[in-house]
Amino acid sequence: MSYIAADDRYAGMTYRRSGRSGLKLPVISLGLWQNFGSVDVFETGRAILKRAFDRGVTHFDLANNYGPVPGSAEENFGRVLASDFKRYRDEMIISTKAGYHMWPGPYGEWGSRKSLLASLDQSLTRMGLDYVDIFYSHRPDPDTPLEETMGALDTAVRQGKALYVGISSYSPEMTRKAAKILKDLGTPCLIHQPSYSMLNRWIEDGLLDTLDDLGIGCIAFSPLAQGMLTMKYIEGIPEGSRASKGGSLSERFLTPQNIERIKALHHIAGRRGQSLAQMAIAWVLRDPKVTSALIGARTVEQLDDSLAALERPDFTAEELAEIEHHATEGGIDLWRASAQQR
């Protein structure tokens, strides 16, 4: 039976304008960094995607190397587009990125014109699309002139292969430079995608104000600190969890100090009638300069739990002050080196 989206899919979602652009994004977007690759159960991912769209999540965020294996998240998303979402394409914002290692040799990563435009062509083929809505430079390249990287983004728009462009993990200074280059080329920078959570607050030290000043949106990825801001790791590292697999979530992040922070934040969430994950997402969105929180999901139930953050979005001054005491730097920012380039 073919998929028919829920009639009330827009009733429960809030949408925010991305900076001073004309584009609105759902305040919670779905990222396919984990759980949608070739090693995962396709029908589970398909069910999550359909449920997300039924709940008003119109933005689906990918990158060329998402999997594993690299590229397989885009391939699987393309399968769902063809089987379920084709009629709804114009209701969706689909984004992808290039910059991390994707194929062998000197052109398979970073920010050269050759790498970015070749990667975009490959991404469009994998997803079966003529264009993406947003194409990002996934990270700054210390060796490629910024003019070349931004020029490639401009070319993607002029070729009709992307409607908007963005950057990810750029420092405030580099963001200003990149935005100036893009503005001069006639292709404004729509959005910046930084990591941001209660345990990783680097964007408050200048980046958010920079984005607000420039009229650029902000979509915060990893608002749950790769699952740390749940109760999953309170009693150790469960078998099969992300931290047990030796990937992006390192065991060294689960320090006694971070566990104590997480426990204290959990108690605050409980008094608010929320799970810790729900409060963590709502907290990221407390500042209207944050356009959207980019979440992941392993199951439909986990997706629904995260979306329930919208049921209690407001904080009292007392709650924010108490959270402030515990929401401190946890040493978990994998992307700090990228932001400090140049």
Side-chain angles (χ1 to χ4, degrees):
M1 181 180 296
S2 61
Y3 165 72
I4 302 296
D7 289 338
D8 62 349
R9 57 188 176 276
Y10 296 114
M13 180 57 68
T14 301
Y15 300 85
R16 290 181 181 175
R17 195 172 301 279
S18 183
R20 290 194 289 272
S21 77
L23 186 69
K24 291 182 178 180
L25 296 178
V27 291
I28 297 180
S29 299
L30 181 63
L32 281 72
W33 178 22
Q34 309 278 345
N35 306 312
F36 294 88
S38 58
V39 302
D40 302 296
V41 179
F42 173 75
E43 288 301 330
T44 300
R46 181 185 182 192
I48 294 168
L49 290 167
K50 291 193 293 185
R51 177 63 172 169
F53 189 61
D54 282 342
R55 295 287 307 273
V57 176
T58 55
H59 179 209
F60 300 96
D61 180 79
L62 299 103
N64 58 353
N65 64 331
Y66 286 177
V69 295
S72 59
E74 288 183 330
E75 290 173 352
N76 283 340
F77 186 71
R79 290 173 62 188
V80 178
L81 275 171
S83 64
D84 302 303
F85 286 163
K86 186 175 182 179
R87 72 180 73 183
Y88 303 110
R89 173 64 182 97
D90 290 339
E91 296 184 41
M92 294 180 173
I93 300 298
I94 299 169
S95 60
T96 196
K97 317 177 199 71
Y100 284 95
H101 185 266
M102 182 59 192
W103 65 87
Y107 318 120
E109 64 179 327
W110 296 110
S112 71
R113 181 179 183 85
K114 166 72 172 178
S115 179
L116 292 183
L117 294 179
S119 180
L120 177 56
D121 283 343
Q122 293 174 19
S123 292
L124 293 174
T125 297
R126 282 190 289 268
M127 290 188 283
L129 290 172
D130 296 323
Y131 70 94
V132 291
D133 297 281
I134 306 170
F135 182 50
Y136 288 91
S137 166
H138 206 165
R139 61 172 172 171
D141 183 343
D143 298 318
T144 298
L146 194 58
E147 290 80 3
E148 179 176 342
T149 300
M150 296 304 107
L153 297 184
D154 173 67
T155 296
V157 172
R158 295 185 185 280
Q159 289 178 338
K161 296 176 181 178
L163 299 185
Y164 303 93
V165 297
I167 56 178
S168 180
S169 299
Y170 279 55
S171 69
E173 180 185 5
M174 285 196 68
T175 296
R176 284 193 180 276
K177 292 178 180 178
K180 174 66 164 56
I181 294 167
L182 286 169
K183 182 179 180 180
D184 289 346
L185 290 170
T187 298
C189 184
L190 172 82
I191 197 163
H192 188 299
Q193 187 175 132
S195 59
Y196 183 44
S197 73
M198 289 176 168
L199 301 179
N200 175 20
R201 300 179 60 173
W202 75 277
I203 70 172
E204 296 172 14
D205 189 22
L207 181 60
L208 268 181
D209 288 339
T210 296
L211 298 178
D212 188 48
D213 181 49
L214 296 173
I216 297 173
C218 175
I219 179 167
F221 76 86
S222 203
L224 301 184
Q226 297 195 72
M228 288 178 63
L229 289 169
T230 67
M231 297 306 288
K232 183 182 296 184
Y233 298 107
I234 293 300
E235 303 298 334
I237 299 175
E239 185 68 29
S241 65
R242 189 183 300 189
S244 72
K245 297 177 181 179
S248 57
L249 178 54
S250 172
E251 292 186 27
R252 64 184 171 84
F253 295 163
L254 298 166
T255 63
Q257 295 85 354
N258 278 342
I259 295 300
E260 287 307 307
R261 292 183 180 101
I262 293 165
K263 288 180 178 178
L265 292 167
H266 167 68
H267 290 308
I268 299 170
R271 294 199 301 272
R272 282 172 48 85
Q274 288 182 306
S275 69
L276 174 56
Q278 290 162 356
M279 185 179 79
I281 294 168
W283 181 87
V284 163
L285 292 168
R286 77 197 185 285
D287 189 328
K289 292 191 289 290
V290 175
T291 311
S292 184
L294 183 59
I295 66 165
R298 184 170 48 84
T299 64
V300 169
E301 293 75 21
Q302 193 177 80
L303 172 73
D304 282 338
D305 183 76
S306 293
L307 291 174
L310 300 179
E311 297 172 6
R312 185 75 194 279
D314 299 322
F315 293 85
T316 66
E318 291 76 17
E319 287 171 337
L320 288 174
E322 187 177 7
I323 289 170
E324 191 73 16
H325 182 69
H326 303 289
T328 55
E329 176 59 45
I332 66 168
D333 188 359
L334 289 172
W335 307 273
R336 183 179 299 274
S338 290
Q340 293 174 341
Q341 297 285 3
R342 300 180 192 266

